[in-house]
Amino acid sequence: MAPKNTAITTSLCSDPSLFISLSLVCTLSLSLFFLSYRPQSHPPLVPQNTSHSPTNSIKVYVSDLPRYLNYGLLDKYWSFQSDSRLGSDADKEIRSAHLPKRLDYPPYPENPLIKQYSAEYWIMGDLMMPEKFRTGSFARRVFDAKQADVVFVPFFATLSAEMQLGMAKGMFRKKAGNEDYDRQKEVVDFVRGVKLGSGPHSLADPVAMWHVRAEIAPAILLVVDFGGWYRLDSKMANGSSSVMVQHTQVSLLKDVIVPYSHLLPKLLISEDQKHHTLLYFKGAKHRHRGGLIREKLWDLLVNEPQVIIEEGFPNATGKEQSIKGMRSSEFCLHPAGDTPTSCRLFDAIQSLCIPVIVSDEIVLPFEGMVDYSDFSVFVALADALQPNWLVSHLKSYSVQQKDSLRQNMARIQHIFEYDNGYPGGIGPVPVDGAVNQIWKKVHQKMPLIKEAIVRERRKPPGVSVPLRCHCT
């Protein structure tokens, strides 16, 4: 997650003293599956045909953080030898291939705990390219912060947090002896100490950078959803918690919902096969907070004919089972986990399995650019928990309706894809892929953010503005 520009004096939410520019960081939920690593040859870098004009793009300045706060964290990750939480089976091949040598731009882990939150890695990989190779990128990199619409601070915060959890989980919420905390503070202090122009800073998730969540609250945050941040944890009895992200720190007015990285391979509509199962779900039964609904749905559905509900585990076998299960099912269940959404939704989209979204409060990436009701089924919690209701509802869809939903899904699969196919992620992004969609969404929010900044600057000294971020 990345910090912010001290030159910015306003924000839509919270104390406007620091409008931080952050890289995406998310530690919200576990993914279920591993992808195998396939070494790639570096394709020739050629300018893309589709271009964005200067008036139809966003100007981005990249904060010059020390390398050990981004790609250096990958060096450290790949130096781990053990097959522990941070040394998954999925990364054995990459680790053995890259341990003997140091790469300027290491590959991102296939470990699903980390890979599902890889947006900042792909954003950075695009911005690192010379402009002549970035003609298809919506973000135009500038090297004078005063010319920028937004400042991007490339701290790989999720990776930092996951390494701390893997090495010393008991230290995660402490400060002394916590390397992740030290890195979070260094990022914030770095941005405070450097004049980065007057544009708002962008991009991070306060869950991974929870130690400095108040300082980064005024930034444009890139988050996978708002679940579990400012709502009361079911385990807490006193109605408050110093570790929760407050409602004044996140807002759909300024923040951008981004997709998880999908963990299953893409299925083309031309490769679609016969669907033997009505409804499929593979994952953990027991969750916390809003995910408690999952246990109730599980008990209602587990013995239904044409329904597969089973525990899923993060290993190669689980991945293969899920590929087969999703591709051979008409619908894929998407109940809340610890948060309202998970990478499972994007695995279903890539598998052409019609998502059944059971949530009353989910927020989704790129809404307004894409209408999820064109390829998904939305179900209220109250309906889903009625015995026999959900299965009967799904059986009511005709073959033509299901085919139409899948055809619509196939047309938007690409907007949820991050991978650009280049080693180390350094290469131009797909024109219509997730990275460009993220920048377009940030661009959409800029007029309101700039208006708030101007309003804050013209206030007489000593005047305060009430917090108004009840806006999810």
Side-chain angles (χ1 to χ4, degrees):
M1 156 182 319
K4 104 130 221 126
N5 180 349
T6 52
I8 298 302
T9 58
T10 190
S11 148
L12 297 179
C13 303
S14 190
D15 184 348
S17 61
L18 192 64
F19 207 119
I20 298 187
S21 185
L22 306 170
S23 71
L24 169 66
V25 298
C26 304
T27 57
L28 298 181
S29 67
L30 305 182
S31 68
L32 299 178
F33 319 103
F34 289 87
L35 290 178
S36 60
Y37 173 70
R38 298 177 179 85
Q40 297 170 300
S41 59
H42 203 303
L45 297 178
V46 293
Q48 300 179 14
N49 294 325
T50 303
S51 63
H52 296 284
S53 67
T55 57
N56 186 28
S57 61
I58 187 169
K59 291 177 288 185
V60 180
Y61 178 83
V62 180
S63 179
D64 190 23
L65 282 187
R67 186 181 186 279
Y68 58 79
L69 292 172
N70 40 68
Y71 292 108
L73 287 171
L74 287 169
D75 293 335
K76 186 169 185 175
Y77 176 85
W78 292 120
S79 71
F80 295 144
Q81 306 263 356
S82 63
D83 252 357
S84 63
R85 184 173 185 270
L86 287 174
S88 67
D89 290 341
D91 286 336
K92 278 184 177 179
E93 182 180 347
I94 307 176
R95 184 168 278 106
S96 62
H98 290 92
L99 270 178
K101 53 189 177 181
R102 181 185 181 278
L103 300 176
D104 289 335
Y105 305 110
Y108 205 75
E110 292 292 329
N111 183 333
L113 291 171
I114 301 171
K115 180 171 181 172
Q116 61 183 339
Y117 308 113
S118 61
E120 77 271 25
Y121 176 79
W122 301 109
I123 290 171
M124 187 63 176
D126 175 48
L127 292 169
M128 293 292 288
M129 286 293 299
E131 280 300 304
K132 65 180 179 180
F133 297 121
R134 301 186 61 253
T135 55
S137 298
F138 188 80
R140 184 159 62 93
R141 184 173 180 181
V142 297
F143 294 88
D144 182 349
K146 295 179 181 178
Q147 299 175 358
D149 295 315
V150 64
V151 177
F152 177 72
V153 182
F155 174 41
F156 291 178
T158 297
L159 185 60
S160 175
E162 288 292 347
M163 287 197 297
Q164 182 62 53
L165 286 166
M167 293 184 295
K169 184 176 181 179
M171 302 300 297
F172 185 68
R173 297 204 178 277
K174 299 178 182 179
K175 295 181 179 180
N178 184 343
E179 294 182 13
D180 178 47
Y181 168 75
D182 292 340
R183 288 189 286 263
Q184 291 180 35
K185 290 298 293 181
E186 183 171 357
V187 171
V188 172
D189 292 343
F190 177 88
V191 179
R192 276 192 176 127
V194 179
K195 189 172 180 62
L196 291 178
S198 59
H201 287 58
S202 149
L203 312 174
D205 177 343
V207 175
M209 288 188 74
W210 77 276
H211 280 292
V212 294
R213 63 195 182 282
E215 289 96 321
I216 69 169
I220 303 170
L221 305 176
L222 295 188
V223 299
V224 292
D225 63 32
F226 290 157
W229 293 3
Y230 55 85
R231 292 178 177 82
L232 181 62
D233 191 300
S234 61
K235 295 181 179 180
M236 295 188 295
N238 61 2
S240 65
S241 171
S242 62
V243 303
M244 296 296 285
V245 177
Q246 303 302 309
H247 72 273
T248 53
Q249 296 172 332
V250 292
S251 166
L252 276 177
L253 294 179
K254 68 177 182 68
D255 300 328
V256 174
I257 308 300
V258 305
Y260 288 82
S261 293
H262 62 87
L263 303 176
L264 299 185
K266 181 178 180 177
L267 176 68
L268 300 177
I269 192 69
S270 60
E271 303 168 334
D272 195 23
Q273 52 196 265
K274 185 174 178 62
H275 303 96
H276 304 286
T277 304
L278 176 69
L279 181 63
Y280 180 82
F281 175 84
K282 187 179 187 66
K285 177 178 181 179
H286 303 290
R287 297 285 85 187
H288 304 297
R289 296 188 288 270
L292 295 175
I293 190 70
R294 185 181 295 186
E295 296 183 35
K296 298 178 182 179
L297 283 171
W298 191 296
D299 292 338
L300 282 174
L301 295 169
V302 68
N303 293 318
E304 286 280 353
Q306 291 187 279
V307 174
I308 296 178
I309 303 288
E310 58 188 10
E311 288 278 354
F313 301 96
N315 54 36
T317 301
K319 174 203 166 183
E320 293 303 321
Q321 290 173 344
S322 294
I323 292 174
K324 181 179 179 180
M326 284 193 169
R327 291 185 176 191
S328 62
S329 299
E330 299 274 19
F331 298 94
C332 282
L333 185 65
H334 184 71
D338 291 338
T339 61
T341 190
S342 73
C343 66
R344 187 179 295 103
L345 171 61
F346 306 99
D347 284 337
I349 291 171
Q350 297 303 324
S351 302
L352 295 178
C353 185
I354 301 164
V356 178
I357 300 174
V358 182
S359 175
D360 293 346
E361 55 189 31
I362 196 170
V363 288
L364 295 164
F366 313 143
E367 289 197 273
M369 298 175 174
V370 60
D371 186 345
Y372 284 76
S373 61
D374 287 341
F375 55 87
S376 305
V377 176
F378 287 86
V379 177
L381 294 179
D383 290 333
L385 292 178
Q386 295 181 42
N388 304 316
W389 187 92
L390 184 58
V391 169
S392 296
H393 178 64
L394 297 180
K395 285 182 176 179
S396 71
Y397 280 78
S398 67
V399 172
Q400 291 76 18
Q401 285 176 311
K402 289 180 287 190
D403 286 345
S404 177
L405 289 169
R406 276 191 290 272
Q407 292 283 349
N408 291 339
M409 201 183 325
R411 284 192 281 269
I412 55 82
Q413 284 175 306
H414 58 275
I415 73 170
F416 301 115
E417 295 187 76
Y418 287 104
D419 198 325
N420 58 22
Y422 291 84
I426 305 298
V429 296
V431 173
D432 296 320
V435 171
N436 270 348
Q437 301 300 326
I438 289 170
W439 285 123
K440 289 176 183 179
K441 203 65 178 176
V442 173
H443 189 254
Q444 286 182 0
K445 294 176 184 288
M446 292 304 298
L448 184 59
I449 293 170
K450 290 179 178 179
E451 179 182 330
I453 292 172
V454 171
R455 187 180 300 114
E456 179 69 21
R457 284 178 178 157
R458 57 85 172 153
K459 288 189 316 182
V463 174
S464 63
V465 175
L467 304 177
R468 298 191 183 98
C469 275
H470 300 265
C471 45
T472 61

